[in-house]
Amino acid sequence: MRLVVLGGSGAGKSTQAPRLGKFFNVPLVSTGETLREAIYGNSQDNTYGELNNLVIEAKPYLEQGELVPDEMMIEFIKVRLKQPDVNNGWILEGYPRTAFQCEELDFLLEDLGQNLDWAIYLQVSSAVMVSRSVGRLLPDDQLEIVQRRVELFYDSYGALRYRTIPILEYYDHRHRLLTINGDQSPEQVQQNILTLLG
């Protein structure tokens, strides 16, 4: 099983993605968690040794609630999805975040001889996103930063229109999108996902 879990900050991605990984017995690839661990956790894990420079470059973006540039994230995913532990499937959380990243992921999967099964979108309101994110108390979850991330997610005008929301159009057009009401209990959300995956 190869799944992408989509949603704004606080939508429930970091709750559902590990559950799905355990259910299908495939590794979770969480870009946000890996970046946070590398930046704030002083991790001694060398699994991502070749990505150290990328992580250092990504730090200012993460701290300001901005999206890490496409080129950095694409390189990050290229390295991660070539690791042997993900040969038989994965759950991808925190990526892709732009339509361009979606296309690059498709190109990468084609090179690897893999296919994406589904993109799962956890749909919640902006108010729920903000309240959940602020409640997590992660290092980069101060109110202003959270509001900036939600703004980046929802703003459909100007330069921002090519960011997160068109991802939904990208996967919908390819008949790969499952939309789930994320404003329910984690157990109910998981059950709804598994029912749709059938």
Side-chain angles (χ1 to χ4, degrees):
M1 185 63 77
R2 294 181 178 90
L3 303 172
V4 167
V5 181
L6 305 171
S9 178
K13 299 186 302 296
S14 59
T15 298
Q16 295 303 322
R19 287 171 175 244
L20 293 169
K22 283 180 186 166
F23 184 87
F24 291 110
N25 195 30
V26 294
L28 169 64
V29 177
S30 171
T31 55
E33 190 175 295
T34 304
L35 286 170
R36 277 194 193 94
E37 186 177 289
I39 291 170
Y40 299 109
N42 299 316
S43 172
Q44 299 303 309
D45 184 2
N46 288 321
T47 307
Y48 306 103
E50 56 191 295
L51 294 174
N52 281 348
N53 290 338
L54 282 173
V55 168
I56 291 167
E57 289 176 40
K59 185 175 181 178
Y61 298 94
L62 191 67
E63 289 177 335
Q64 293 165 33
E66 299 290 336
L67 295 179
V68 175
D70 284 341
E71 299 73 26
M72 289 186 202
M73 293 309 301
I74 289 163
E75 190 58 34
F76 184 101
I77 292 299
K78 276 183 182 173
V79 172
R80 184 64 187 95
L81 292 188
K82 287 178 181 175
Q83 304 298 317
D85 66 319
V86 293
N87 284 346
N88 297 317
W90 36 260
I91 307 293
L92 191 52
E93 187 255 308
Y95 184 95
R97 288 197 174 190
T98 66
F100 180 63
Q101 289 177 4
C102 293
E103 286 185 312
E104 288 297 318
L105 178 60
D106 278 348
F107 293 146
L108 173 60
L109 294 180
E110 191 176 330
D111 287 345
L112 296 173
Q114 300 178 9
N115 291 307
L116 177 69
D117 291 300
W118 292 102
I120 297 168
Y121 173 49
L122 303 176
Q123 186 173 42
V124 298
S125 69
S126 55
V128 170
M129 277 197 240
V130 171
S131 64
R132 283 184 181 174
S133 295
V134 171
R136 292 185 308 194
L137 296 177
L138 291 171
D140 58 329
D141 276 348
Q142 289 92 6
L143 183 59
E144 315 80 58
I145 292 174
V146 168
Q147 287 173 328
R148 176 65 178 148
R149 283 203 298 256
V150 170
E151 182 184 307
L152 282 174
F153 183 81
Y154 270 116
D155 196 332
S156 58
Y157 297 96
L160 300 181
R161 65 177 303 183
Y162 298 105
R163 298 209 175 172
T164 306
I165 294 296
I167 291 178
L168 308 182
E169 297 166 11
Y170 181 92
Y171 286 123
D172 189 42
H173 183 67
R174 285 157 180 77
H175 308 291
R176 285 280 178 271
L177 183 69
L178 298 178
T179 299
I180 306 287
N181 176 7
D183 194 9
Q184 306 175 84
S185 72
E187 294 72 26
Q188 187 61 54
V189 172
Q190 182 184 10
Q191 190 53 57
N192 290 352
I193 292 171
L194 295 176
T195 300
L196 282 178
L197 289 176

